[in-house]
């Protein structure tokens, strides 16, 4: 069906069987990933395989699952919003007839605590108000009973359950308000407790962007690139990454990540994978050790020679959870299954203090048998415990590191197609669209204005430029844009504004949509006086409607069916000044595309100085 699927996600990328079956697309042996991180004989819960699909076509995957297993055996999973301390006080206050300002006066005194009891402990003014004003005490007493209860139900972003029989016999169901589909009344944790298997069918925008890019490349060059076959030693890609030119590159867009790329200057896929694992709040403090060791490998110190083979790849620094598991095996003789138990316990040390104490004794005893002193074993165990507070899953980092490389490769080698695809996915998100257009300008890519004769719904490539898509214009829905494009494909390009009005279906493309097209400059190739087109539009639309009626009834005018002689006599209108023109552009695009009022102001000041 051609639906793009991600190379892998989470610990499932460590399974050779998943790779051989085509569930994942990266070889776990090549990247030294651990199967036991995914599944082992001591694991009690079912293994979880999360799969990323193209965001646009995720719905088709869920529909396929319903058809394959039966509508009565498939349901999406509910998610619940719960009444938190401040929200429940506001809700109770409203229910008891108190005004917004009265309840707001209470919540302003509440620190950001999870419970009302904690808020009262931390805020003496709140406690004083509750004691001195009976109505405040009443609200807080009722709110205490309701806090933590479900407030509303929604649909989980990814979760789907598949039953062996009709789900009505297994789990209570409800209907999704938007689509009427079956949704469980239990959340993701509870459906697993009653024995149902949860599947995470996730939508990932990056896969959609990659697919759009490959389609544009094929349309222009005639060749289809197989993204999984691209080389990992492409010089242009590594140059782009080393310079931090990664706006629009998966996982590498933030300012901090760009800075780290410039400092690290990665040269291979393993370093890129490590970079993604390192750039998170927990391991930030080890980044400097990683960079220092990488710059000077002779300075690397391993606590024990047994650790070298597993830490060499990351220059002596623990970066991945799997490295802790291997350290437990090499230093203390743990099985990888037992090492995974240790990993889980250490990552939630507050919950499992007794288990950690037991595992620590096992670790020290096992290390002693391998000739490691107690003091050194305790030091290594301490470092492992500290690291696992923030350690990252190597399987997941590898899968997403490869996706990052794919997007960097496309941006470096096919910048026009990649940026056009990014801009298309950003439609509807003004901030993102503005940032991507700014990046295009930095790359020297010109954005051509929207044009009723040239633009598609999406952003497209024209020569060495990108054409603004109709989907980026406010008040112009996809059905109106598709109607415009369909008319143009049937009848050819529009020769004038009036030819446009006479040709298109004005029931689908209404006055508001046409006004937005004018303000965005989409008619500039036919008439640059936008003020005049806006002024003439009501009477011009009336004329177009009369022409359509005449054609329907078989009437013909003296001068032919569409001759512009029949147009009403319309008075000329002065064009908008530059600022008004820009303001209207911003109104319908969400930002200033080609100029900025500040530039006009600077130019005016410069003129004043010259005078």
């Amino acid at each position: 069906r051609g639906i793009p699927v991600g190379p892998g996600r989470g610990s499932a990328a460590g399974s050779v069987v998943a790779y051989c079956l085509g569930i994942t697309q990266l070889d776990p042996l090549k990247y030294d990933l651990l199967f036991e991180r995914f599944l082992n004989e001591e694991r009690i819960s079912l293994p979880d395989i999360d799969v990323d699909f193209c965001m646009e076509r995720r719905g088709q995957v869920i529909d396929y699952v319903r058809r394959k297993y039966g509508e009565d055996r498939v349901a999406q999973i509910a998610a619940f919003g719960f009444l938190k301390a401040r929200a429940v006080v506001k809700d109770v206050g409203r229910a008891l007839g108190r005004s917004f300002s009265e309840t707001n006066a209470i919540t302003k005194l509440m620190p950001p605590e999870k419970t009302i009891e904690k808020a009262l402990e931390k805020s003496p003014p709140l406690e004083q108000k509750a004691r001195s004003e009976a109505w405040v005490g009443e609200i807080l007493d009722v709110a205490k009973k309701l806090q933590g209860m479900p407030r509303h139900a929604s649909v989980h972003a990814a979760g789907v359950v598949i039953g062996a029989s009709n789900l009505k016999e297994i789990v209570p169901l409800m209907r999704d308000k938007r689509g009427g589909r079956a949704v469980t009344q239990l959340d993701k944790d509870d459906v697993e407790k009653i024995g149902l298997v949860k599947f995470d069918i996730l939508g990932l925008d990056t896969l959609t962007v990659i697919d759009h890019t490959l389609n544009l490349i094929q349309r222009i060059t005639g060749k289809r690139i197989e993204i999984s076959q691209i080389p990992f030693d492409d010089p242009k890609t590594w140059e782009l990454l080393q310079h931090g030119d990664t706006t629009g590159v998966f996982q590498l867009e933030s300012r901090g990540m760009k800075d780290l790329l410039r400092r690290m200057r990665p040269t291979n896929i393993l370093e890129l994978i490590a970079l993604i694992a390192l750039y998170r709040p927990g391991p930030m403090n080890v980044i400097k050790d990683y960079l220092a060791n990488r710059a000077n490998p002779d300075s690397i110190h391993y606590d024990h020679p047994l650790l070298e083979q597993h830490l060499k790849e990351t220059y002596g620094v623990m970066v991945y959870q799997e490295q802790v598991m291997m350290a437990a095996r090499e230093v203390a003789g743990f099985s990888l299954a037992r090492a995974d138990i240790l990993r889980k316990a250490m990552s939630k040390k507050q919950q499992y203090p007794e288990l950690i104490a037991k595992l620590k004794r096992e670790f020290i005893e096992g290390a002693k048998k391998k000739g490691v002193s107690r003091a050194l074993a305790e030091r290594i165990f301490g470092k492992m415990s500290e690291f696992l507070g923030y350690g990252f899953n190597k399987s997941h980092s590898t899968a997403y590191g490869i996706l990052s490389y794919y997007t960097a490769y496309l941006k470096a080698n096919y910048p026009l197609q990649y940026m056009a695809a990014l801009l298309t996915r950003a439609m509807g998100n003004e901030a993102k669209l503005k940032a991507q257009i700014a990046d295009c300008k930095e790359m020297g890519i010109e954005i051509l204005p929207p044009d009723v004769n040239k633009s598609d719904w999406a952003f497209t490539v024209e020569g060495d430029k990108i054409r603004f898509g109709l989907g980026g214009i406010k008040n112009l829905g996809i059905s109106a844009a598709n109607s415009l494009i369909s008319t143009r494909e049937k009848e050819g390009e529009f020769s004038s504004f009036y030819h446009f009005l006479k040709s298109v279906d004005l029931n689908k493309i209404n006055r508001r949509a046409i006004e937005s097209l004018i303000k965005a400059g989409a008619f500039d190739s036919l008439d640059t006086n936008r003020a005049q087109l806006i002024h003439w539009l009501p009477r011009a639309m009336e004329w177009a409607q009369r022409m359509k009626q005449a054609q329907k009834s078989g009437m013909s005018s003296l001068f032919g069916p569409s001759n512009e002689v029949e147009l009403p006599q319309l008075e000329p209108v002065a064009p908008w000044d530059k600022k008004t023109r820009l303001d209207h552009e911003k109104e319908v695009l969400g930002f200033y595309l080609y100029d900025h009022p500040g530039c006009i102001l600077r130019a005016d000041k410069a003129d004043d100085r010259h005078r």
Side-chain angles (χ1 to χ4, degrees), residues 278-384:
L278 282 166
Y279 191 78
R280 291 173 304 104
M284 283 288 191
N285 60 334
V286 302
I287 289 175
K288 63 179 187 298
D289 296 333
Y290 180 94
L291 294 177
N293 290 353
R294 180 174 176 267
N296 186 12
D298 293 338
S299 68
I300 298 172
H301 169 72
Y302 299 98
D303 285 319
H304 194 282
L306 290 170
L307 297 173
E308 182 173 355
Q309 63 175 313
H310 302 296
L311 298 183
K312 194 172 184 179
E313 178 188 314
T314 51
Y315 305 104
V317 175
M318 280 189 181
V319 174
Y320 308 115
Q321 295 167 351
E322 288 86 340
Q323 288 174 315
V324 169
M325 292 170 66
M326 294 305 294
R329 186 176 78 169
E330 297 297 335
V331 174
F334 275 36
S335 69
L336 285 175
R338 196 66 176 158
D340 191 51
I341 299 292
L342 174 65
R343 174 196 65 78
K344 284 182 185 173
M346 281 182 165
S347 63
K348 296 178 181 177
K349 58 186 78 174
Q350 304 299 327
Q351 294 180 32
Y352 306 111
E354 292 177 7
L355 177 58
I356 288 175
K358 180 186 175 190
L359 290 167
K360 183 177 181 179
R361 289 193 296 272
E362 288 179 22
F363 185 89
I364 291 168
E365 285 302 313
K368 197 185 294 182
K369 289 175 185 174
K370 288 208 166 193
V372 180
S373 70
R374 181 183 184 88
L376 180 55
E378 285 191 345
R379 186 162 79 243
I380 293 170
F381 190 90
K383 284 186 176 181
M384 289 162 56

